mmCIF file of all heavy atoms in Angstrom:
data_model
loop_
_atom_site.group_PDB
_atom_site.id
_atom_site.type_symbol
_atom_site.label_atom_id
_atom_site.label_comp_id
_atom_site.label_asym_id
_atom_site.label_seq_id
_atom_site.Cartn_x
_atom_site.Cartn_y
_atom_site.Cartn_z
ATOM 1 N N PRO A 232 1.716 -18.730 -22.801
ATOM 2 C CA PRO A 232 3.028 -18.092 -22.898
ATOM 3 C C PRO A 232 2.926 -16.509 -22.914
ATOM 4 O O PRO A 232 1.872 -15.841 -23.412
ATOM 5 C CB PRO A 232 3.673 -18.585 -24.106
ATOM 6 C CG PRO A 232 2.499 -19.100 -24.939
ATOM 7 C CD PRO A 232 1.525 -19.458 -23.998
ATOM 8 N N ARG A 233 4.006 -15.769 -22.520
ATOM 9 C CA ARG A 233 4.050 -14.413 -22.470
ATOM 10 C C ARG A 233 3.669 -13.836 -23.931
ATOM 11 O O ARG A 233 2.995 -12.759 -24.090
ATOM 12 C CB ARG A 233 5.582 -14.041 -22.165
ATOM 13 C CG ARG A 233 5.755 -12.486 -22.144
ATOM 14 C CD ARG A 233 7.160 -12.251 -21.919
ATOM 15 N NE ARG A 233 7.512 -10.849 -21.869
ATOM 16 C CZ ARG A 233 7.409 -10.009 -20.747
ATOM 17 N NH1 ARG A 233 6.895 -10.525 -19.578
ATOM 18 N NH2 ARG A 233 7.718 -8.772 -20.833
ATOM 19 N N GLU A 234 4.132 -14.415 -24.960
ATOM 20 C CA GLU A 234 3.989 -14.018 -26.358
ATOM 21 C C GLU A 234 2.496 -13.950 -26.678
ATOM 22 O O GLU A 234 1.986 -13.005 -27.293
ATOM 23 C CB GLU A 234 4.778 -14.896 -27.369
ATOM 24 C CG GLU A 234 6.265 -14.755 -27.287
ATOM 25 C CD GLU A 234 6.806 -15.440 -26.116
ATOM 26 O OE1 GLU A 234 6.071 -16.351 -25.511
ATOM 27 O OE2 GLU A 234 8.002 -15.281 -25.744
ATOM 28 N N THR A 235 1.775 -14.925 -26.240
ATOM 29 C CA THR A 235 0.273 -14.959 -26.357
ATOM 30 C C THR A 235 -0.438 -13.862 -25.805
ATOM 31 O O THR A 235 -1.238 -13.038 -26.304
ATOM 32 C CB THR A 235 -0.259 -16.333 -25.980
ATOM 33 O OG1 THR A 235 0.369 -17.417 -26.647
ATOM 34 C CG2 THR A 235 -1.805 -16.374 -26.159
ATOM 35 N N LEU A 236 -0.071 -13.601 -24.416
ATOM 36 C CA LEU A 236 -0.690 -12.535 -23.754
ATOM 37 C C LEU A 236 -0.422 -11.116 -24.372
ATOM 38 O O LEU A 236 -1.304 -10.314 -24.382
ATOM 39 C CB LEU A 236 -0.231 -12.536 -22.361
ATOM 40 C CG LEU A 236 -0.729 -13.853 -21.444
ATOM 41 C CD1 LEU A 236 -0.272 -13.720 -20.101
ATOM 42 C CD2 LEU A 236 -2.214 -14.043 -21.510
ATOM 43 N N LEU A 237 0.888 -10.974 -24.715
ATOM 44 C CA LEU A 237 1.181 -9.702 -25.453
ATOM 45 C C LEU A 237 0.506 -9.499 -26.690
ATOM 46 O O LEU A 237 0.087 -8.416 -27.027
ATOM 47 C CB LEU A 237 2.682 -9.638 -25.607
ATOM 48 C CG LEU A 237 3.569 -9.353 -24.405
ATOM 49 C CD1 LEU A 237 5.177 -9.441 -24.694
ATOM 50 C CD2 LEU A 237 3.245 -7.936 -23.837
ATOM 51 N N ALA A 238 0.307 -10.617 -27.414
ATOM 52 C CA ALA A 238 -0.488 -10.503 -28.725
ATOM 53 C C ALA A 238 -1.872 -10.096 -28.448
ATOM 54 O O ALA A 238 -2.400 -9.279 -29.129
ATOM 55 C CB ALA A 238 -0.331 -11.826 -29.428
ATOM 56 N N ILE A 239 -2.519 -10.749 -27.375
ATOM 57 C CA ILE A 239 -3.905 -10.366 -27.092
ATOM 58 C C ILE A 239 -4.006 -8.923 -26.579
ATOM 59 O O ILE A 239 -4.792 -8.087 -27.027
ATOM 60 C CB ILE A 239 -4.382 -11.337 -25.888
ATOM 61 C CG1 ILE A 239 -4.488 -12.720 -26.443
ATOM 62 C CG2 ILE A 239 -5.736 -10.789 -25.376
ATOM 63 C CD1 ILE A 239 -4.741 -13.650 -25.316
ATOM 64 N N LYS A 240 -3.007 -8.471 -25.859
ATOM 65 C CA LYS A 240 -3.055 -7.078 -25.286
ATOM 66 C C LYS A 240 -2.877 -6.118 -26.495
ATOM 67 O O LYS A 240 -3.607 -5.163 -26.575
ATOM 68 C CB LYS A 240 -1.855 -6.810 -24.347
ATOM 69 C CG LYS A 240 -1.782 -5.558 -23.729
ATOM 70 C CD LYS A 240 -0.841 -5.354 -22.685
ATOM 71 C CE LYS A 240 -0.791 -3.937 -22.087
ATOM 72 N NZ LYS A 240 0.108 -3.799 -20.967
ATOM 73 N N LYS A 241 -2.026 -6.402 -27.412
ATOM 74 C CA LYS A 241 -1.856 -5.535 -28.573
ATOM 75 C C LYS A 241 -3.064 -5.431 -29.367
ATOM 76 O O LYS A 241 -3.416 -4.306 -29.843
ATOM 77 C CB LYS A 241 -0.519 -5.951 -29.330
ATOM 78 C CG LYS A 241 -0.310 -5.058 -30.509
ATOM 79 C CD LYS A 241 0.928 -5.570 -31.330
ATOM 80 C CE LYS A 241 1.313 -4.602 -32.444
ATOM 81 N NZ LYS A 241 2.528 -5.190 -33.134
ATOM 82 N N GLU A 242 -3.636 -6.652 -29.635
ATOM 83 C CA GLU A 242 -4.879 -6.681 -30.479
ATOM 84 C C GLU A 242 -6.025 -5.924 -29.927
ATOM 85 O O GLU A 242 -6.810 -5.278 -30.604
ATOM 86 C CB GLU A 242 -5.166 -8.054 -30.928
ATOM 87 C CG GLU A 242 -6.253 -8.108 -31.913
ATOM 88 C CD GLU A 242 -6.366 -9.585 -32.554
ATOM 89 O OE1 GLU A 242 -5.440 -10.425 -32.268
ATOM 90 O OE2 GLU A 242 -7.417 -9.902 -33.079
ATOM 91 N N ILE A 243 -6.198 -6.062 -28.610
ATOM 92 C CA ILE A 243 -7.313 -5.376 -27.906
ATOM 93 C C ILE A 243 -7.074 -3.856 -28.009
ATOM 94 O O ILE A 243 -8.063 -3.170 -28.230
ATOM 95 C CB ILE A 243 -7.353 -5.865 -26.341
ATOM 96 C CG1 ILE A 243 -7.846 -7.214 -26.198
ATOM 97 C CG2 ILE A 243 -8.189 -4.902 -25.546
ATOM 98 C CD1 ILE A 243 -7.847 -7.734 -24.833
ATOM 99 N N TYR A 244 -5.940 -3.388 -27.893
ATOM 100 C CA TYR A 244 -5.531 -1.965 -27.959
ATOM 101 C C TYR A 244 -5.951 -1.448 -29.452
ATOM 102 O O TYR A 244 -6.691 -0.503 -29.559
ATOM 103 C CB TYR A 244 -4.208 -1.612 -27.682
ATOM 104 C CG TYR A 244 -3.912 -0.227 -27.715
ATOM 105 C CD1 TYR A 244 -4.287 0.729 -26.812
ATOM 106 C CD2 TYR A 244 -3.211 0.277 -28.895
ATOM 107 C CE1 TYR A 244 -3.975 2.061 -26.902
ATOM 108 C CE2 TYR A 244 -3.033 1.672 -29.052
ATOM 109 C CZ TYR A 244 -3.378 2.624 -28.170
ATOM 110 O OH TYR A 244 -3.186 3.899 -28.186
ATOM 111 N N GLU A 245 -5.293 -2.189 -30.436
ATOM 112 C CA GLU A 245 -5.559 -1.738 -31.820
ATOM 113 C C GLU A 245 -6.951 -1.862 -32.344
ATOM 114 O O GLU A 245 -7.431 -1.009 -33.099
ATOM 115 C CB GLU A 245 -4.529 -2.584 -32.768
ATOM 116 C CG GLU A 245 -3.048 -2.191 -32.420
ATOM 117 C CD GLU A 245 -2.156 -3.124 -33.179
ATOM 118 O OE1 GLU A 245 -2.590 -4.125 -33.902
ATOM 119 O OE2 GLU A 245 -0.869 -2.809 -33.168
ATOM 120 N N GLU A 246 -7.621 -2.930 -31.929
ATOM 121 C CA GLU A 246 -9.007 -3.219 -32.554
ATOM 122 C C GLU A 246 -10.112 -2.612 -31.705
ATOM 123 O O GLU A 246 -11.307 -2.565 -32.315
ATOM 124 C CB GLU A 246 -9.125 -4.648 -32.678
ATOM 125 C CG GLU A 246 -8.156 -5.382 -33.600
ATOM 126 C CD GLU A 246 -8.203 -4.785 -35.188
ATOM 127 O OE1 GLU A 246 -9.406 -4.468 -35.562
ATOM 128 O OE2 GLU A 246 -7.176 -4.570 -35.801
ATOM 129 N N ILE A 247 -9.794 -2.364 -30.527
ATOM 130 C CA ILE A 247 -10.943 -1.911 -29.537
ATOM 131 C C ILE A 247 -10.706 -0.526 -28.960
ATOM 132 O O ILE A 247 -11.474 0.388 -29.270
ATOM 133 C CB ILE A 247 -11.265 -2.978 -28.394
ATOM 134 C CG1 ILE A 247 -11.453 -4.347 -29.046
ATOM 135 C CG2 ILE A 247 -12.396 -2.438 -27.512
ATOM 136 C CD1 ILE A 247 -11.598 -5.398 -27.897
ATOM 137 N N ILE A 248 -9.640 -0.412 -28.270
ATOM 138 C CA ILE A 248 -9.365 0.920 -27.555
ATOM 139 C C ILE A 248 -9.180 2.005 -28.558
ATOM 140 O O ILE A 248 -9.828 3.092 -28.428
ATOM 141 C CB ILE A 248 -8.217 0.773 -26.607
ATOM 142 C CG1 ILE A 248 -8.585 -0.248 -25.425
ATOM 143 C CG2 ILE A 248 -7.909 2.187 -25.942
ATOM 144 C CD1 ILE A 248 -7.416 -0.461 -24.468
ATOM 145 N N ALA A 249 -8.357 1.743 -29.505
ATOM 146 C CA ALA A 249 -7.998 2.833 -30.567
ATOM 147 C C ALA A 249 -9.160 3.300 -31.407
ATOM 148 O O ALA A 249 -9.181 4.391 -31.875
ATOM 149 C CB ALA A 249 -6.901 2.355 -31.448
ATOM 150 N N LYS A 250 -10.128 2.298 -31.530
ATOM 151 C CA LYS A 250 -11.374 2.693 -32.315
ATOM 152 C C LYS A 250 -12.517 3.153 -31.499
ATOM 153 O O LYS A 250 -13.305 3.999 -31.993
ATOM 154 C CB LYS A 250 -11.715 1.390 -33.185
ATOM 155 C CG LYS A 250 -10.635 1.047 -34.078
ATOM 156 C CD LYS A 250 -11.107 -0.234 -34.886
ATOM 157 C CE LYS A 250 -10.032 -0.674 -35.957
ATOM 158 N NZ LYS A 250 -10.399 -1.858 -36.671
ATOM 159 N N LYS A 251 -12.674 2.656 -30.242
ATOM 160 C CA LYS A 251 -13.921 2.894 -29.543
ATOM 161 C C LYS A 251 -13.635 3.898 -28.213
ATOM 162 O O LYS A 251 -14.492 4.331 -27.741
ATOM 163 C CB LYS A 251 -14.596 1.632 -28.965
ATOM 164 C CG LYS A 251 -14.956 0.725 -30.082
ATOM 165 C CD LYS A 251 -15.757 -0.580 -29.547
ATOM 166 C CE LYS A 251 -16.188 -1.423 -30.646
ATOM 167 N NZ LYS A 251 -16.965 -2.625 -30.084
ATOM 168 N N GLY A 252 -12.408 3.957 -27.931
ATOM 169 C CA GLY A 252 -12.012 4.857 -26.749
ATOM 170 C C GLY A 252 -12.094 4.273 -25.502
ATOM 171 O O GLY A 252 -11.776 4.834 -24.479
ATOM 172 N N GLN A 253 -12.476 2.920 -25.479
ATOM 173 C CA GLN A 253 -12.553 2.242 -24.118
ATOM 174 C C GLN A 253 -12.589 0.753 -24.514
ATOM 175 O O GLN A 253 -12.808 0.334 -25.599
ATOM 176 C CB GLN A 253 -13.709 2.678 -23.393
ATOM 177 C CG GLN A 253 -15.086 2.458 -24.006
ATOM 178 C CD GLN A 253 -16.241 2.946 -23.162
ATOM 179 O OE1 GLN A 253 -15.979 3.770 -22.291
ATOM 180 N NE2 GLN A 253 -17.516 2.526 -23.463
ATOM 181 N N VAL A 254 -12.466 -0.026 -23.438
ATOM 182 C CA VAL A 254 -12.441 -1.559 -23.658
ATOM 183 C C VAL A 254 -13.817 -1.928 -23.743
ATOM 184 O O VAL A 254 -14.720 -1.672 -22.801
ATOM 185 C CB VAL A 254 -11.687 -2.179 -22.488
ATOM 186 C CG1 VAL A 254 -11.798 -3.855 -22.670
ATOM 187 C CG2 VAL A 254 -10.280 -1.719 -22.378
ATOM 188 N N ASP A 255 -14.174 -2.789 -24.704
ATOM 189 C CA ASP A 255 -15.500 -3.451 -24.968
ATOM 190 C C ASP A 255 -15.317 -4.856 -24.481
ATOM 191 O O ASP A 255 -14.540 -5.600 -25.166
ATOM 192 C CB ASP A 255 -15.936 -3.388 -26.346
ATOM 193 C CG ASP A 255 -17.236 -3.951 -26.503
ATOM 194 O OD1 ASP A 255 -17.553 -5.055 -25.949
ATOM 195 O OD2 ASP A 255 -18.110 -3.520 -27.343
ATOM 196 N N CYS A 256 -15.860 -5.334 -23.436
ATOM 197 C CA CYS A 256 -15.732 -6.688 -22.896
ATOM 198 C C CYS A 256 -16.125 -7.790 -23.846
ATOM 199 O O CYS A 256 -15.434 -8.798 -24.061
ATOM 200 C CB CYS A 256 -16.375 -6.897 -21.569
ATOM 201 S SG CYS A 256 -15.613 -6.003 -20.217
ATOM 202 N N GLU A 257 -17.231 -7.617 -24.507
ATOM 203 C CA GLU A 257 -17.687 -8.638 -25.596
ATOM 204 C C GLU A 257 -16.686 -8.729 -26.659
ATOM 205 O O GLU A 257 -16.338 -9.843 -27.110
ATOM 206 C CB GLU A 257 -19.009 -8.186 -26.094
ATOM 207 C CG GLU A 257 -20.142 -8.342 -25.031
ATOM 208 C CD GLU A 257 -21.509 -8.036 -25.621
ATOM 209 O OE1 GLU A 257 -21.616 -7.967 -26.828
ATOM 210 O OE2 GLU A 257 -22.465 -8.077 -24.864
ATOM 211 N N ALA A 258 -16.088 -7.568 -27.230
ATOM 212 C CA ALA A 258 -15.117 -7.705 -28.207
ATOM 213 C C ALA A 258 -13.812 -8.302 -27.771
ATOM 214 O O ALA A 258 -13.071 -9.052 -28.436
ATOM 215 C CB ALA A 258 -14.902 -6.256 -28.804
ATOM 216 N N ALA A 259 -13.462 -7.887 -26.483
ATOM 217 C CA ALA A 259 -12.147 -8.524 -25.891
ATOM 218 C C ALA A 259 -12.317 -10.007 -25.679
ATOM 219 O O ALA A 259 -11.410 -10.747 -25.981
ATOM 220 C CB ALA A 259 -11.996 -7.845 -24.538
ATOM 221 N N GLN A 260 -13.506 -10.469 -25.326
ATOM 222 C CA GLN A 260 -13.688 -11.892 -25.179
ATOM 223 C C GLN A 260 -13.410 -12.601 -26.493
ATOM 224 O O GLN A 260 -12.824 -13.658 -26.519
ATOM 225 C CB GLN A 260 -15.311 -12.174 -24.768
ATOM 226 C CG GLN A 260 -15.550 -13.638 -24.704
ATOM 227 C CD GLN A 260 -17.024 -13.960 -24.575
ATOM 228 O OE1 GLN A 260 -17.842 -13.101 -25.079
ATOM 229 N NE2 GLN A 260 -17.459 -14.969 -23.801
ATOM 230 N N GLN A 261 -13.934 -12.020 -27.606
ATOM 231 C CA GLN A 261 -13.676 -12.729 -28.987
ATOM 232 C C GLN A 261 -12.143 -12.759 -29.214
ATOM 233 O O GLN A 261 -11.707 -13.823 -29.875
ATOM 234 C CB GLN A 261 -14.346 -11.951 -29.964
ATOM 235 C CG GLN A 261 -15.896 -11.927 -29.831
ATOM 236 C CD GLN A 261 -16.451 -13.341 -29.772
ATOM 237 O OE1 GLN A 261 -16.094 -14.196 -30.521
ATOM 238 N NE2 GLN A 261 -17.348 -13.557 -28.784
ATOM 239 N N ILE A 262 -11.325 -11.737 -28.843
ATOM 240 C CA ILE A 262 -10.000 -11.753 -29.157
ATOM 241 C C ILE A 262 -9.327 -12.869 -28.202
ATOM 242 O O ILE A 262 -8.448 -13.561 -28.627
ATOM 243 C CB ILE A 262 -9.370 -10.377 -28.843
ATOM 244 C CG1 ILE A 262 -9.857 -9.432 -29.943
ATOM 245 C CG2 ILE A 262 -7.818 -10.354 -28.761
ATOM 246 C CD1 ILE A 262 -9.364 -7.957 -29.641
ATOM 247 N N PHE A 263 -9.755 -13.016 -27.065
ATOM 248 C CA PHE A 263 -9.147 -14.160 -26.114
ATOM 249 C C PHE A 263 -9.403 -15.452 -26.743
ATOM 250 O O PHE A 263 -8.506 -16.311 -26.858
ATOM 251 C CB PHE A 263 -9.788 -14.065 -24.720
ATOM 252 C CG PHE A 263 -9.097 -13.159 -23.786
ATOM 253 C CD1 PHE A 263 -9.544 -11.889 -23.504
ATOM 254 C CD2 PHE A 263 -8.002 -13.544 -23.122
ATOM 255 C CE1 PHE A 263 -8.909 -10.952 -22.586
ATOM 256 C CE2 PHE A 263 -7.339 -12.718 -22.192
ATOM 257 C CZ PHE A 263 -7.792 -11.461 -22.008
ATOM 258 N N LEU A 264 -10.648 -15.635 -27.232
ATOM 259 C CA LEU A 264 -11.083 -16.963 -27.821
ATOM 260 C C LEU A 264 -10.294 -17.173 -29.062
ATOM 261 O O LEU A 264 -9.948 -18.309 -29.470
ATOM 262 C CB LEU A 264 -12.523 -17.024 -28.215
ATOM 263 C CG LEU A 264 -13.482 -16.985 -26.914
ATOM 264 C CD1 LEU A 264 -14.970 -16.852 -27.283
ATOM 265 C CD2 LEU A 264 -13.266 -18.162 -26.029
ATOM 266 N N LYS A 265 -9.998 -16.154 -29.886
ATOM 267 C CA LYS A 265 -9.277 -16.209 -31.092
ATOM 268 C C LYS A 265 -7.901 -16.820 -30.852
ATOM 269 O O LYS A 265 -7.372 -17.492 -31.785
ATOM 270 C CB LYS A 265 -9.262 -14.883 -31.757
ATOM 271 C CG LYS A 265 -8.377 -14.814 -33.066
ATOM 272 C CD LYS A 265 -8.309 -13.314 -33.622
ATOM 273 C CE LYS A 265 -7.310 -13.209 -34.717
ATOM 274 N NZ LYS A 265 -7.183 -11.797 -35.074
ATOM 275 N N HIS A 266 -7.369 -16.426 -29.735
ATOM 276 C CA HIS A 266 -5.879 -16.852 -29.379
ATOM 277 C C HIS A 266 -5.952 -18.084 -28.628
ATOM 278 O O HIS A 266 -4.904 -18.401 -28.047
ATOM 279 C CB HIS A 266 -5.183 -15.649 -28.737
ATOM 280 C CG HIS A 266 -4.759 -14.597 -29.549
ATOM 281 N ND1 HIS A 266 -3.606 -14.528 -30.208
ATOM 282 C CD2 HIS A 266 -5.542 -13.458 -29.921
ATOM 283 C CE1 HIS A 266 -3.450 -13.370 -30.931
ATOM 284 N NE2 HIS A 266 -4.604 -12.725 -30.712
ATOM 285 N N GLY A 267 -7.055 -18.747 -28.466
ATOM 286 C CA GLY A 267 -7.082 -20.035 -27.780
ATOM 287 C C GLY A 267 -7.241 -19.980 -26.287
ATOM 288 O O GLY A 267 -6.881 -21.027 -25.598
ATOM 289 N N VAL A 268 -7.537 -18.892 -25.729
ATOM 290 C CA VAL A 268 -7.714 -18.688 -24.382
ATOM 291 C C VAL A 268 -9.197 -18.748 -23.902
ATOM 292 O O VAL A 268 -10.000 -17.903 -24.321
ATOM 293 C CB VAL A 268 -7.184 -17.306 -23.789
ATOM 294 C CG1 VAL A 268 -7.255 -17.221 -22.340
ATOM 295 C CG2 VAL A 268 -5.668 -17.237 -24.222
ATOM 296 N N PRO A 269 -9.565 -19.839 -23.179
ATOM 297 C CA PRO A 269 -11.028 -19.770 -22.720
ATOM 298 C C PRO A 269 -11.487 -18.622 -22.029
ATOM 299 O O PRO A 269 -10.800 -18.158 -21.065
ATOM 300 C CB PRO A 269 -11.115 -21.145 -21.877
ATOM 301 C CG PRO A 269 -9.752 -21.236 -21.469
ATOM 302 C CD PRO A 269 -8.791 -20.865 -22.418
ATOM 303 N N CYS A 270 -12.595 -17.986 -22.306
ATOM 304 C CA CYS A 270 -13.028 -16.763 -21.843
ATOM 305 C C CYS A 270 -14.424 -16.729 -21.594
ATOM 306 O O CYS A 270 -15.269 -16.825 -22.560
ATOM 307 C CB CYS A 270 -12.467 -15.636 -22.678
ATOM 308 S SG CYS A 270 -12.893 -13.958 -22.013
ATOM 309 N N GLU A 271 -14.906 -16.357 -20.327
ATOM 310 C CA GLU A 271 -16.301 -16.171 -20.010
ATOM 311 C C GLU A 271 -16.534 -14.759 -19.853
ATOM 312 O O GLU A 271 -15.745 -14.048 -19.066
ATOM 313 C CB GLU A 271 -16.699 -17.019 -18.807
ATOM 314 C CG GLU A 271 -16.622 -18.496 -18.996
ATOM 315 C CD GLU A 271 -16.819 -19.330 -17.743
ATOM 316 O OE1 GLU A 271 -17.030 -18.698 -16.696
ATOM 317 O OE2 GLU A 271 -16.771 -20.600 -17.765
ATOM 318 N N LEU A 272 -17.510 -14.148 -20.410
ATOM 319 C CA LEU A 272 -17.786 -12.830 -20.400
ATOM 320 C C LEU A 272 -17.932 -12.226 -18.984
ATOM 321 O O LEU A 272 -17.461 -11.174 -18.670
ATOM 322 C CB LEU A 272 -19.073 -12.423 -21.108
ATOM 323 C CG LEU A 272 -19.320 -11.015 -21.403
ATOM 324 C CD1 LEU A 272 -18.264 -10.251 -22.166
ATOM 325 C CD2 LEU A 272 -20.764 -10.809 -22.223
ATOM 326 N N GLU A 273 -18.563 -12.949 -18.030
ATOM 327 C CA GLU A 273 -18.679 -12.512 -16.710
ATOM 328 C C GLU A 273 -17.440 -12.433 -15.876
ATOM 329 O O GLU A 273 -17.371 -11.760 -14.832
ATOM 330 C CB GLU A 273 -19.723 -13.384 -15.948
ATOM 331 C CG GLU A 273 -19.181 -14.845 -15.755
ATOM 332 C CD GLU A 273 -20.176 -15.670 -15.034
ATOM 333 O OE1 GLU A 273 -21.258 -15.191 -14.572
ATOM 334 O OE2 GLU A 273 -19.915 -16.918 -14.912
ATOM 335 N N ASN A 274 -16.368 -12.973 -16.460
ATOM 336 C CA ASN A 274 -15.128 -12.935 -15.717
ATOM 337 C C ASN A 274 -14.134 -11.793 -16.284
ATOM 338 O O ASN A 274 -13.018 -11.688 -15.906
ATOM 339 C CB ASN A 274 -14.370 -14.280 -15.958
ATOM 340 C CG ASN A 274 -14.881 -15.414 -15.157
ATOM 341 O OD1 ASN A 274 -15.838 -15.289 -14.398
ATOM 342 N ND2 ASN A 274 -14.340 -16.566 -15.298
ATOM 343 N N LEU A 275 -14.710 -10.949 -17.125
ATOM 344 C CA LEU A 275 -14.005 -9.832 -17.652
ATOM 345 C C LEU A 275 -14.511 -8.433 -16.986
ATOM 346 O O LEU A 275 -15.753 -8.327 -16.822
ATOM 347 C CB LEU A 275 -14.228 -9.655 -19.206
ATOM 348 C CG LEU A 275 -13.418 -10.641 -20.049
ATOM 349 C CD1 LEU A 275 -13.997 -10.524 -21.482
ATOM 350 C CD2 LEU A 275 -11.944 -10.424 -20.061
ATOM 351 N N LYS A 276 -13.605 -7.715 -16.652
ATOM 352 C CA LYS A 276 -14.023 -6.458 -15.991
ATOM 353 C C LYS A 276 -13.134 -5.328 -16.504
ATOM 354 O O LYS A 276 -11.902 -5.504 -16.371
ATOM 355 C CB LYS A 276 -13.861 -6.518 -14.383
ATOM 356 C CG LYS A 276 -14.379 -5.261 -13.679
ATOM 357 C CD LYS A 276 -14.467 -5.471 -12.244
ATOM 358 C CE LYS A 276 -13.132 -5.749 -11.529
ATOM 359 N NZ LYS A 276 -13.276 -5.869 -10.118
ATOM 360 N N ALA A 277 -13.731 -4.299 -17.074
ATOM 361 C CA ALA A 277 -12.959 -3.252 -17.724
ATOM 362 C C ALA A 277 -13.242 -1.878 -16.999
ATOM 363 O O ALA A 277 -14.394 -1.677 -16.460
ATOM 364 C CB ALA A 277 -13.186 -3.214 -19.193
ATOM 365 N N LYS A 278 -12.233 -0.971 -17.039
ATOM 366 C CA LYS A 278 -12.462 0.349 -16.586
ATOM 367 C C LYS A 278 -11.528 1.234 -17.186
ATOM 368 O O LYS A 278 -10.401 0.928 -17.597
ATOM 369 C CB LYS A 278 -12.556 0.490 -15.142
ATOM 370 C CG LYS A 278 -11.298 0.329 -14.392
ATOM 371 C CD LYS A 278 -11.444 0.627 -12.841
ATOM 372 C CE LYS A 278 -10.105 0.398 -12.070
ATOM 373 N NZ LYS A 278 -10.370 0.695 -10.655
ATOM 374 N N LYS A 279 -11.746 2.636 -17.249
ATOM 375 C CA LYS A 279 -10.712 3.502 -17.610
ATOM 376 C C LYS A 279 -10.634 4.558 -16.436
ATOM 377 O O LYS A 279 -11.629 5.038 -15.868
ATOM 378 C CB LYS A 279 -10.972 4.225 -18.995
ATOM 379 C CG LYS A 279 -12.228 4.981 -19.068
ATOM 380 C CD LYS A 279 -12.171 5.568 -20.545
ATOM 381 C CE LYS A 279 -13.409 6.407 -20.747
ATOM 382 N NZ LYS A 279 -13.441 7.069 -22.076
#
Side-chain angles (χ1 to χ4, degrees):
R233 178 185 178 88
E234 293 74 17
T235 299
L236 296 180
L237 283 177
I239 293 173
K240 183 175 184 180
K241 183 177 181 180
E242 190 169 342
I243 290 176
Y244 179 80
E245 293 175 347
E246 298 299 323
I247 303 176
I248 298 175
K250 296 178 180 180
K251 299 182 179 181
Q253 61 185 16
V254 179
D255 181 323
C256 287
E257 292 186 3
Q260 179 192 30
Q261 296 306 311
I262 292 176
F263 274 98
L264 295 173
K265 174 184 173 182
H266 286 269
V268 179
C270 183
E271 296 177 356
L272 188 61
E273 63 180 353
N274 288 0
L275 286 169
K276 183 168 65 174
K278 71 174 179 178
K279 65 178 183 179

